[in-house]
């Protein structure tokens, strides 16, 4: 094929990307983790590589490590690697790796493929044959969780660890609802209204957490106690496989070889409200000149209009139930939001 594998770097919020693969052979990159000034990547066919200059140069960090690596996790100064031959740990940044796979759980699960690793403080979570395994002593002893739901991924908010369900055929009771599980006090569903859906990725900033999967991005603003789904406006591929968040944007990597971004102000300020029928806009579509009629009493409120990037392009104080607006802006999709400090309503506006 003609793919150029390796890690890609963006320094302008994903607008432009550059391939940072100096010293890194053209192997598929399966995982990436940052530990202080060190960046580790796991590859399929080449083991683990290390960069300590933000990806400008890479060196081999695979001493005695199998070459097919699924995942990497860090706990303090220790590096864990999940491979097709079990779990390995390095105490010296990949100079030497030690097999810490426990014969007991290998024998029970019948599979040494460890496809995911995740660290929350001193507890390491892993996936072996879809089942969760855990250790709290750097891999000397592992506990398997046969009988628990099959899992795709892990994430955390604060000290709470979450698991995203894997709905593989025949591997889990079809009558059970799940999707997102809170592991703090055993297995319990964190998002019952979600139903059963594959969750592949988590990302968190402060007390706000995001979960992504097949045709869904869910958001929680209280570290997973309550969740709601967001509108996937702007996405043209709904197979979400990775999420990342910074101070301004949520980024979604999809199975269609694309990365999308949406501003946090849009997601948290608009999308979690859904589309309301409390605002009637006409004509809609319009040329930019339109009338907004509100079905509920409006007093001492603020009307705001956002574009698809979540950027505020118009704001006005309103005190009546009907407002005429002449918006001078480019054609596209916009969102009209009205708030009185307690209630908040949102409706979609199309300008041609």
């Amino acid at each position: 094929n003609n793919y150029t594998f390796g890690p890609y770097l963006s320094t302008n919020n994903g607008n432009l990307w550059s391939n940072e693969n100096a010293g890194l052979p053209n192997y598929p990159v399966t995982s990436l983790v940052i530990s202080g000034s060190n960046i580790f990547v796991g590859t399929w066919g080449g083991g683990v590589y290390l960069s300590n200059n933000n990806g400008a140069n890479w060196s081999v960090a695979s001493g005695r490590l199998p070459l097919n690596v699924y995942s990497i996790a860090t706990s303090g100064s220790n590096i864990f690697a999940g491979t097709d031959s079990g779990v390995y740990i390095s105490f010296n940044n990949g100079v030497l790796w030690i097999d810490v796979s426990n014969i007991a759980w290998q024998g029970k699960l019948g599979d040494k493929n460890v496809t995911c690793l995740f660290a929350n403080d001193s507890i390491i979570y892993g996936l072996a044959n879809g089942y969760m395994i855990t250790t709290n002593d750097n891999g000397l002893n592992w506990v398997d969780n046969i009988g628990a739901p099959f899992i795709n991924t892990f994430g955390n908010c604060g000290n709470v660890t979450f698991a995203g369900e894997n709905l593989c055929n025949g591997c889990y009771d079809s009558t059970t609802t799940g999707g997102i599980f809170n592991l703090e006090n055993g297995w319990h569903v964190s998002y019952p209204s979600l139903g059963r859906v594959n969750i592949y990725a988590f990302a968190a900033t402060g007390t706000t957490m995001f979960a992504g999967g097949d045709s869904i991005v869910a958001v929680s603003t209280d570290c997973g106690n309550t969740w709601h789904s967001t509108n996937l406006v702007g996405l043209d591929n709904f197979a979400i496989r990775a999420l990342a968040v910074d101070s301004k944007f949520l980024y979604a990597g999809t199975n269609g070889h694309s990365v999308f971004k949406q501003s946090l102000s849009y997601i948290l300020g608009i999308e979690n409200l859904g589309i309301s029928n409390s605002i009637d806009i006409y004509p809609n579509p319009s040329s930019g000149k339109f009338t907004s009629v509100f079905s509920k009493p409006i007093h001492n409120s603020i009307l705001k209009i956002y574009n698809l990037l979540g950027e505020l392009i118009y704001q006005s104080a309103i005190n009546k139930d009907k407002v005429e607006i002449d918006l001078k802006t480019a054609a596209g999709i916009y969102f009209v939001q009205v708030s009185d400090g307690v209630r908040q309503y949102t409706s979609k506006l199309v300008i041609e």
Side-chain angles (χ1 to χ4, degrees):
N1 58 56
N2 295 320
Y3 289 125
T4 300
F5 296 113
Y8 283 74
L9 171 68
S10 174
T11 58
N12 56 5
N13 295 320
N15 294 324
L16 294 173
W17 294 85
S18 60
N19 184 242
E20 303 293 326
N21 61 355
L24 185 64
N26 195 35
Y27 295 115
V29 172
T30 55
S31 53
L32 184 152
V33 68
I34 298 174
S35 178
S37 60
N38 293 328
I39 304 174
F40 296 89
V41 295
T43 70
W44 193 256
V48 171
Y49 286 78
L50 164 67
S51 174
N52 53 22
N53 56 7
N54 210 35
N57 300 97
W58 297 88
S59 58
V60 177
S62 303
R64 297 185 181 178
L65 182 71
L67 297 181
N68 294 330
V69 177
Y70 285 104
S71 57
I72 308 175
T74 62
S75 177
S77 59
N78 300 331
I79 315 296
F80 290 82
T83 76
D84 63 350
S85 301
V87 183
Y88 288 71
I89 187 173
S90 176
F91 302 103
N92 51 14
N93 287 330
V95 175
L96 179 66
W97 293 85
I98 301 171
D99 186 354
V100 292
S101 302
N102 185 288
I103 298 300
W105 65 257
Q106 286 182 12
K108 291 179 182 179
L109 299 177
D111 195 335
K112 297 177 70 175
N113 287 295
V114 179
T115 56
C116 179
L117 287 174
F118 179 79
N120 191 356
D121 293 330
S122 61
I123 301 177
I124 308 300
Y125 299 83
L127 296 180
N129 196 28
Y131 291 106
M132 186 178 81
I133 54 174
T134 59
T135 180
N136 59 8
D137 56 9
N138 284 331
L140 294 178
N141 295 281
W142 292 87
V143 177
D144 62 64
N145 287 264
I146 295 177
F150 270 43
I151 297 300
N152 281 321
T153 190
F154 300 98
N156 74 291
C157 187
N159 293 321
V160 181
T161 300
F162 294 84
E165 187 181 7
N166 179 339
L167 301 182
C168 59
N169 291 331
C171 70
Y172 192 37
D173 181 1
S174 62
T175 64
T176 306
T177 59
I180 300 173
F181 293 88
N182 182 322
L183 305 184
E184 183 178 19
N185 297 307
W187 291 91
H188 68 271
V189 178
S190 178
Y191 190 179
S193 61
L194 177 65
R196 303 191 71 237
V197 63
N198 278 308
I199 297 294
Y200 289 97
F202 292 103
T205 175
T207 60
T208 300
M209 190 174 192
F210 301 92
D214 289 335
S215 300
I216 187 170
V217 173
V219 61
S220 171
T221 56
D222 54 10
C223 266
N225 290 318
T226 58
W227 294 84
H228 55 260
S229 59
T230 68
N231 196 313
L232 302 181
V233 174
L235 278 173
D236 61 15
N237 186 304
F238 298 140
I240 296 168
R241 296 297 180 263
L243 290 175
V245 64
D246 61 19
S247 61
K248 294 183 178 180
F249 294 97
L250 176 68
Y251 302 86
T254 73
N255 203 30
H257 310 290
S258 298
V259 176
F260 297 84
K261 71 176 182 180
Q262 186 58 273
S263 71
L264 297 185
S265 62
Y266 174 84
I267 297 172
L268 301 178
I270 295 180
E271 280 207 340
N272 57 351
L273 305 171
I275 302 301
S276 171
N277 60 4
S278 297
I279 306 176
D280 185 20
I281 298 175
Y282 65 89
N284 191 14
S286 75
S287 62
K289 190 173 183 178
F290 60 93
T291 300
S292 294
V293 179
F294 312 108
S295 62
K296 298 183 179 181
I298 298 295
H299 303 288
N300 300 320
S301 299
I302 300 294
L303 184 147
K304 298 179 180 180
I305 300 178
Y306 294 85
N307 62 18
L308 278 178
L309 294 178
E311 299 168 337
L312 179 65
I313 64 168
Y314 179 89
Q315 178 174 313
S316 176
I318 57 174
N319 286 287
K320 52 186 180 181
D321 300 341
K322 181 177 179 180
V323 177
E324 294 182 353
I325 298 173
D326 190 1
L327 191 64
K328 306 294 185 183
T329 189
I333 297 175
Y334 297 85
F335 292 90
V336 179
Q337 178 193 91
V338 175
S339 173
D340 62 5
V342 178
R343 299 167 302 168
Q344 193 163 262
Y345 308 108
T346 303
S347 190
K348 184 167 69 173
L349 166 69
V350 179
I351 294 181
E352 298 180 333

